[in-house]
Every structure is written in C-alpha cells, then in structure tokens.
Amino acid sequence: MPEAPRQARARAADLQQQINHHNYRYYVLDDPEVPDSEYDRLMRELQQLEADYPALITRDSPTQRVGAEPLEAFAEVQHAVPMLSLGNAFSEEDMLDFDARARKQLGAGASISYAAEPKLDGLAISLRYEHGILVQAATRGDGKRGEDVSSNVRTIPSIPLRLLGEDWPEVLEARGEIFIPRKGFDELNQRARSRGEKVFANPRNAAAGSLRQLDPRVTAARPLAFYCYGYGAVSSGDLASTYSGCISVLKSLGIPVSPELAVLQDVNACMDYYRRLGERRDVLDYDIDGVVFKVNSLAQQAELGFVSRAPRWAVAHKFPAQEALTRVLDVEFQVGRTGAITPVARLEPVSVGGVTVSNATLHNMDEVEKKDVRAGDIVFVRRAGDVIPEVVRVLQERRPEGTRPVTLPSRCPVCDSEVIRTESEVVARCSGGLYCAAQRKEAIRHFSSRLAMDIEGLGDKLVQQLIEQDWVHDPADLYSLTLEQLAGLERMGRKSAQNLLDALETSKQTSLSHFLYALGRREVGEATSQTLARRFGSLRALREADEEDLQQTPDVGPVVAAHVASFFRQQHNREVMDKLLQAGITWQESVPASTPDQAPLSGQTFVLTGSLSQPRSRIKSRLESHGARVSGSVSGKTSYLVAGEAAGSKLEKARSLGVQILDEAALERLLENL
Ligand code: IVH
C-alpha cells in the first residue's frame, strides 16, 4: 500500500476533524454551522483522498460507518458494569412514596434534587470508547451479558466514532437508548407497505429489529437515533459530582443527550415536569413512555444503592400505555371525500394513552388481508401522536370460533355505486362520483372551481350551506337555485345572491373539456379532459366509447380507461350529465381528431391578451381542444394574437413581428369554421 504523502495525511486528518465537528453541531447541539452541501463536499473530498491513499483509512474515519461484511451471528459481550433496569411509578402516590423512601434512607432533613428526562421507548445500548475511539457497542441483553452489535451501531450517524477533543478517560462506556423518531418510522412503514413487506407494529419494534440485522447495510438504511442517559465503566472514576454534570461532560465529548434534561428541586417539581411533558407527548417527534427521575447527587446515589437489579435512586414514572387490547365488534367501510373506501374496525371502547378509542383504521384491504382482522377478534390497538388509532395485530390464539374473513363490498355503502379496486392500486374506490353523498361537497366544490365550470362566488361555506339545506344533491341542482332561496342564506344579501345566479348563468357556456374536468373523476385531470375532448369531439361519442377505444387516446392507459368507462356506464352518472345539459350547459362540439396531428389547429400557437369577455382558461381550452397550443408570450413562432380590450405591449410586439391579430369576434368566426 503506497505511503500517503505528508500533505495528504494532514488534509485527511483535518477533514476528519471538520466532519466530526459538524456532526457534533448537527446531532448534539442541534445547531448546524454549515449547509448539508458543504458537509457532503467535505465527505466527498475525504472519500477521494482515502480512495487515492487507502493507507489513510482509519477505523474511526467518518467514511467507515458501513464497512463490515454481513455477520453469521452476534457475539456475546460481558458487561463490565451491569446494565440495570428501573422501578416504575404509575401514579403521583407512587412518586411521593419513592421520594419519601429515598429521603428516609438519606436521613432526617435530607433534601433531594432530581434530574428528569423522557423515558425513551427504544432499546438500551452500551457504547465502549477506548482512547476516545468507539470499539464496541452492546445490547443490554439480560443486564450482565448482551450482544455485540458494533457494526450496526457504527452506521447510526449521530453516534460518534471518535470522541471530541483529547480529554477523555482511557475507557468510557456511554449508555443510552437507540430509537426511531416517528417521522422516520412512518416513512419506513410506508415504504414497507408499498413494497408489500411486513410493517412494524411500533417504533420500538422497528428500532430493535433494525439493530438485530446481520447485514449492517440494512441497518444503515433505517432512521435510527440515540440519546445518552448514563455511563457504565469509566477508567477515571466519576465524570462529575452530579448526574446532570456527567451528562454535560458526555455532551461536550460529542455524545447526543436529551434536550429535555432538567434539574428539579423536589418531588413537586417532578410532578409538574411529568404533567408538562405529558401534554407535549403527542408533539414530540419520538415516542416516550414516561419520565425517568434520578437523584442528581452522585454521593446520594451511592448512599441509596440498589435493590436487586434496579437502583433506589431512580424511578420511571410511566405515562398511560399507548397500546391496549380490545375486541373488534365489526369491520365497516367508510367512504372518503375522494371516494376512497377505508376499512374501519369498530371496537369495544378502550382507553389508550388516556383517550377512549372505539374506532381504528385498517388502512386498506391489503392491510386487512395481511393482518387477517375479523369481527370478534381480540386485537392490539395503538395510538401515537395525533395519528388515527390503528389495529396493530390480532391475537390469533384468542380468536373465537365461527369468525369470517372480511371482504370488500362490491357496492358503495353510502350510494350503492360499484366499488372499483384495480390491480395497480391498493385503495378501493366508490365510482359514484357526483352522486355519492360522501363525495358530494367535494364534488360540488370541484365542479365550480376555476378550471372547471368557474362559478364565481360559490365558496366553501356556501356549498356547505347548500348541502345542509338539502337543496343540492348533484351539481345540476345548482342551476335550479332561486333568488329567494339564496338570499335567505347566512351572510347572503339579495345582491350577492343575484351575482351568484349571474355567475351560474355565465358558466353554462363552456367547453367539452371543462365539462369533463368538472365531472371530477380523480383520474381525469385537466390534461386528460382536454385529450379526451379533442379525440372524441362530443359527449355522445365519449359516452359510447369502450375501454379499448378510450385507450387509443394519447396518455390514456388501461387504468384511466377502465375508470372512465365505468363512470360513463353508471346510470346515475348519465342522469346527472343529462340533467346538466337540460339545465342549459352547452359548448361547441368539434370534429373528433383521431390523432392530435389531425386536429384542425394543431401546430398553431395562440397568445391571449387584453381583457376578454370569457375567462382565459375557457378560451384556452377551447383552442386546445382543436389542437392549438396557447402560450404566454409573443414570439416569431406565434400564429395568432387574440387581443381583447386595452391590449398593451403584446399587441405592439405582435404588430412589429407581423403576427396575425384577432379580436374576439374574429376568433369566434375562426372556431366556427373549423
Ligand atoms: S436510566 C440505572 N434513563 O428504560 C438506570 N433509562 O426500564 C438505567 N430508558 O433499560 C436506565 N429512557 O432502556 C434511563 N432516560 C432514561 C431512559 C431509560 C429509556 C430505558 C432503558 C432501561 C429501561 C428501564
């Protein structure tokens, strides 16, 4: 191996030091000094240097986190100082007892201040540093013997491979909790779900499972984090005279510690801390299951000693559990505002983390099938943060006789329309669209939106009122509203009622693509509406098209074709469309274009300017339905400028470039003659 020149050696050492410093700023102080890009640049430079001179690679180099080959099994590790467990307090009374016992043992008049920090819900780990270098990481195991998970722990970015500075004891074992923050957990499970893999029941299981991987590359991809809450063997004796002092020393060596650590003067302050943290429990970005209180003075700790395997100087005041067992009464199906059909477990009410839970989501049919949840089952339910409670797992061994697997209903429980579940989608959907009450409000909002029928003044609150009054069941009902009805609504005078009626009237002049888009099929967005309108030219042709025919349309694949065909097949959708046409909605039908190139205006570019009597979006889509392109700026490639009143610089530019200029009347004539 070639010896690295002195300069390269110095640069590598300098880069390592800089990277370690930035890790400390980022993970320990939560106060990065440089943007990620700068950090990445330093890392790349070091990687390059090490590639050029492999002799520069050290075990503690920040490039060496995922170095090791997969293991056959984990080796056993004997803990030099046993890893203890904690006694629990479940009530204020338990806490008062704990404090009274400790004070009694310390002698009359003793006062105790406590260090408090969250009880993290992960797994305990001991990190052994020798001469400042991480040499081993071991799980707690039975407290005396654990497993050597060094290669995996090295992949956790917040755990330093080398301690900061030079002033560390020869041997230092930092102990703490490895956990997965909630966001990382959700992403991990989402990824697993989308790949059809097993999802983790909770962040704790995910952290434990990740650490017990034989291949460190798998662990490296898991979002593991670490906070230190103590130490084992330390060659120099105590690091400070208090627990909080020791934690400060560990932090200064680059080891992440909880930012929630507080020193409290007495047990009453402990109870305040417990309450306040309890209130914030749901907004923290990691799961905690209580607060750990530790007598802060190490001298007092020594005096108090241990009972069996737990110290008398520490206690875990637990929060109410976030998981509970209960019975599934039934599995029902809910219809969301986009038509998504979600299976929901109706539960025998149970208190989970202080909140009564009687429903839990089962996400989708894949989940129901995978977990095999049935009415009558005893299940674990879990709630975390403000997430909807979910069924985690069925206790198969307690399944009563005669249960039946859950099946997806073939018709929507709200409107009885066909339920569609394509192979490519995990979610099943009601095909009722406009007709389904569960989707109605959203459908009306969408129908009136700017890119659809563009009904000005029909806001969210108004739609809500129209539905509550039971006046609007489908969008066509909007066109039968009367001045009397509207003027009687909350915050609506006669004037705004009349304005709305005018806007409804104006909206009747539309285009086929706007109309299709307004029907609000999730799969038929603006672009698809336009291509469908252009290809079929008329609603009649589109209604009669079968899936194969639909698939001949550019950008329409089998999934969209199936949805569109099913929508037009449904009798009630046909009725709503007829009702809309009867209400006076109209547009100019055009000659169908079998391919976009055959559209009469294909290859022509239009620019719209000045104030026009119709919304620009409508003119744009009419032009586009004939194959034209509509652009925002005039250039030599512009075919026509459509100029409304008070047109300005675009008109001048078009004139100077010799572009053909149309007023609105000329545009209408052009469209009529296509
Ligand atoms: S102190 C001698 N502090 O809880 C005391 N433990 O139930 C050793 N834990 O095995 C533990 N957060 O895995 C301590 N802030 C914290 C903790 C904590 C979580 C876990 C740890 C321990 C278990 C005991």
Side-chain angles (χ1 to χ4, degrees), residues 455 478-479 481 486 499-508:
I455 306 170
L478 289 171
Y479 294 96
L481 291 168
L486 290 173
N499 286 346
L500 180 59
L501 289 180
D502 292 347
L504 280 160
E505 202 50 42
T506 313
S507 75
K508 288 180 182 172

Side-chain angles (χ1 to χ4, degrees), residues 292-358:
V292 180
F293 296 106
K294 293 168 187 161
V295 170
N296 200 29
S297 150
L298 297 195
Q300 285 182 333
Q301 282 192 5
E303 221 178 312
L304 288 165
F306 305 87
V307 260
S308 65
R309 291 216 260 120
R312 285 204 196 86
W313 43 263
V315 68
H317 191 182
K318 300 291 277 279
F319 289 133
Q322 288 197 308
E323 276 185 13
L325 276 182
T326 189
R327 185 181 300 278
V328 177
L329 300 174
D330 203 358
V331 175
E332 290 176 2
F333 290 86
Q334 260 173 10
V335 190
R337 59 191 179 88
T338 58
I341 305 230
T342 309
V344 178
R346 305 284 176 221
L347 306 168
E348 222 159 70
V350 60
S351 168
V352 189
V355 173
T356 304
V357 170
S358 36

Side-chain angles (χ1 to χ4, degrees), residues 44 46 59 66 81 189 219 248 251 359 372 448 472 549:
R44 275 198 305 273
L46 181 58
R59 250 328 249 150
V66 196
V81 175
N189 265 357
T219 312
S248 300
K251 181 174 173 182
N359 301 305
D372 189 19
S448 54
V472 174
D549 221 353

Side-chain angles (χ1 to χ4, degrees), residues 600-609 612 619 623 626-644 650-651 653-655 657-664 666-671 673-674:
L601 294 180
S602 117
Q604 312 271 21
T605 303
F606 285 70
V607 175
L608 310 177
T609 189
L612 299 157
I619 303 181
L623 286 166
H626 295 292
R629 208 173 78 79
V630 177
S631 151
S633 57
V634 178
S635 72
K637 293 198 184 118
T638 309
S639 328
Y640 295 95
L641 179 82
V642 179
K650 283 186 194 163
L651 181 58
K653 186 160 182 198
R655 279 198 181 118
L657 291 171
V659 169
Q660 193 167 345
I661 295 159
L662 304 174
D663 61 11
E664 268 195 275
L667 173 70
E668 287 305 328
R669 279 195 301 278
L670 183 139
L671 289 173
N673 292 327
L674 287 177

Side-chain angles (χ1 to χ4, degrees), residues 84-86 117-120 124 140 177 229 292 294 311 313:
L84 303 170
S85 60
L86 289 170
E117 60 200 11
K119 184 168 191 299
L120 301 156
R140 178 172 178 276
E177 199 86 346
Y229 51 63
V292 180
K294 293 168 187 161
W313 43 263

Side-chain angles (χ1 to χ4, degrees), residues 10-137:
R11 180 63 185 155
D14 179 39
L15 285 166
Q16 284 199 8
Q17 205 221 331
Q18 285 194 54
I19 292 169
N20 288 338
H21 170 74
H22 292 313
N23 277 340
Y24 172 68
R25 298 289 308 207
Y26 187 90
Y27 290 110
V28 182
L29 301 185
D30 193 17
D31 181 20
E33 243 171 31
V34 292
D36 291 357
S37 55
E38 172 62 8
Y39 179 90
D40 294 343
R41 195 187 62 73
L42 295 171
M43 197 62 137
R44 275 198 305 273
E45 190 184 338
L46 181 58
Q47 276 162 346
Q48 188 57 54
L49 259 182
E50 289 178 346
D52 294 345
Y53 305 105
L56 291 176
I57 300 175
T58 56
R59 250 328 249 150
D60 63 325
S61 166
T63 60
Q64 301 301 303
R65 288 199 174 268
V66 196
E69 288 298 307
L71 297 173
E72 296 281 318
F74 298 109
E76 192 182 277
V77 174
Q78 179 96 22
H79 295 301
V81 175
M83 290 181 80
L84 303 170
S85 60
L86 289 170
N88 291 323
F90 294 101
S91 63
E92 293 208 342
E93 209 185 333
D94 288 353
M95 273 305 292
L96 290 170
D97 280 355
F98 167 80
D99 176 63
R101 263 197 316 274
R103 277 188 297 121
K104 185 165 169 225
Q105 201 188 335
L106 290 174
S111 71
I112 299 178
S113 66
Y114 290 99
E117 60 200 11
K119 184 168 191 299
L120 301 156
D121 201 6
L123 70 155
I125 198 89
S126 184
L127 308 174
R128 187 176 171 91
Y129 290 88
E130 290 178 7
H131 304 282
I133 309 288
L134 177 65
V135 293
Q136 189 176 65

Side-chain angles (χ1 to χ4, degrees), residues 128-346:
R128 187 176 171 91
Y129 290 88
E130 290 178 7
H131 304 282
I133 309 288
L134 177 65
V135 293
Q136 189 176 65
T139 61
R140 178 172 178 276
D142 64 4
K144 292 193 192 111
R145 271 176 302 266
E147 285 178 321
D148 184 339
V149 286
S150 306
S151 326
N152 288 342
V153 166
R154 293 172 60 85
T155 68
I156 302 173
S158 61
I159 291 183
L161 300 180
R162 180 200 300 181
L163 296 177
L164 289 185
E166 301 290 325
D167 199 13
W168 12 255
E170 210 175 295
V171 173
L172 169 64
E173 284 179 6
R175 290 180 175 174
E177 199 86 346
I178 287 185
F179 59 99
I180 291 194
R182 276 189 200 139
K183 190 163 164 271
F185 173 72
D186 291 342
E187 285 165 6
L188 192 64
N189 265 357
Q190 244 155 38
R191 232 183 303 151
R193 221 172 251 136
S194 68
R195 290 183 190 156
E197 293 167 4
K198 181 176 154 288
V199 296
F200 290 104
N202 54 44
R204 213 196 77 78
N205 289 3
S210 302
L211 213 57
R212 295 205 78 266
Q213 293 291 331
L214 290 168
D215 184 349
R217 280 168 304 189
V218 177
T219 312
R222 303 280 169 85
L224 294 164
F226 171 76
Y227 280 150
C228 167
Y229 51 63
Y231 51 88
V234 181
S235 55
S236 59
D238 287 338
L239 297 169
S241 64
T242 57
Y243 173 78
S244 54
C246 295
I247 291 294
S248 300
V249 172
L250 290 163
K251 181 174 173 182
S252 71
L253 295 175
I255 298 176
V257 301
S258 169
E260 305 289 339
L261 175 72
V263 178
L264 308 165
Q265 287 323 308
D266 59 21
V267 71
N268 291 320
C270 290
M271 295 199 289
D272 272 354
Y273 181 97
Y274 174 84
R275 268 189 297 273
R276 272 183 281 119
L277 195 63
E279 281 162 14
R280 289 174 47 229
R281 180 184 189 188
D282 282 355
V283 296
L284 291 179
D285 62 3
Y286 42 86
D287 274 9
I288 60 175
D289 55 357
V291 178
V292 180
F293 296 106
K294 293 168 187 161
V295 170
N296 200 29
S297 150
L298 297 195
Q300 285 182 333
Q301 282 192 5
E303 221 178 312
L304 288 165
F306 305 87
V307 260
S308 65
R309 291 216 260 120
R312 285 204 196 86
W313 43 263
V315 68
H317 191 182
K318 300 291 277 279
F319 289 133
Q322 288 197 308
E323 276 185 13
L325 276 182
T326 189
R327 185 181 300 278
V328 177
L329 300 174
D330 203 358
V331 175
E332 290 176 2
F333 290 86
Q334 260 173 10
V335 190
R337 59 191 179 88
T338 58
I341 305 230
T342 309
V344 178
R346 305 284 176 221

